[in-house]
Structures are given as C-alpha cells and as structure tokens.
Amino acid sequence: MMQTIEQKNTETAVAFIEELGKRGDLEHTEQFFAGQMMEAFTNRRWTVEETLAQGEKVTARVIITGTHSGMFAGHAPTGKQVRTAQFHELRVVDGSVVHHRPWFDTGTLLPQLKAE
C-alpha cells in the first residue's frame, strides 16, 4: 500500500524529533528559559504523543517528564516529577525538514513547580 504525503512527512518529522532527543537537543527552543531546562529537570523522558499533518506541514505534541531538581523560572527545586508538553511545528519538503520551530507549554509546567 502506498503512503500518503502526510504519512511520509509525519514519519520524517517524528524521526527528526527522535534524533533531537537522542542528541540531547530537544530542549532547545527560542524561548528565553530554554537553556535552564537541562539543568533544572533531570531524568527527562520524552514521547511523541500526537501528530497532525496537512501537506508539507506537520505539528507534533511531545510529552516530557522529569524531576524538578534545579532552579527554573525563579522556582527552587521541589524534587517533584513534572509533566509538560512541547510542540513542534515542522515543514517537510522532499523528505527533509526545511523548517522547525519548537516551543514549551509553560502554562502546564509552572503550576507544577509551586511548593506545597
């Protein structure tokens, strides 16, 4: 059975994200706090949970879990396990990623860091 362009582009996008994860580059975004992510959260694990493709465009939702073990956005380490989403907007042309823009969903992350 032949794959649709969306299926091929989704496979390319997921492989691209998985390679970023293997290299330890998944946390790199243009958000000002992105550099703190690696230091503030240890035992990080990630999973591509959902993808949506339309033609050349692919959007992926990656779930990242980890332990809050360092300062992040003014929050002292809590030792808590946290779970947050990271979104990736990609454009795939002829089997290659030509545009990639990731960002974190801090709206779900920051409330988890409050001391109890």
Side-chain angles (χ1 to χ4, degrees), residues 29-84:
T29 71
E30 294 178 6
Q31 292 166 291
F32 72 92
F33 58 80
Q36 298 176 29
M37 292 296 288
M38 290 179 73
E39 295 174 15
F41 301 97
T42 55
N43 304 318
R44 289 180 310 283
R45 302 229 187 301
W46 55 269
T47 304
V48 178
E49 191 167 274
E50 184 177 25
T51 59
L52 177 64
Q54 183 176 11
E56 296 177 342
K57 296 178 182 179
V58 180
T59 302
R61 180 166 47 107
V62 176
I63 298 300
I64 299 174
T65 59
T67 305
H68 181 214
S69 55
M71 285 295 290
F72 183 76
H75 295 275
T78 61
K80 293 180 182 179
Q81 284 294 117
V82 297
R83 173 184 161 100
T84 191

Side-chain angles (χ1 to χ4, degrees), residues 33 41 72-75 84 105-115:
F33 58 80
F41 301 97
F72 183 76
H75 295 275
T84 191
D105 177 9
T106 55
T108 60
L109 176 61
L110 294 177
Q112 298 175 65
L113 305 181
K114 295 190 189 235

Side-chain angles (χ1 to χ4, degrees), residues 94-109:
D94 297 328
S96 296
V97 174
V98 298
H99 169 80
H100 174 235
R101 181 177 173 262
W103 69 95
F104 287 99
D105 177 9
T106 55
T108 60
L109 176 61

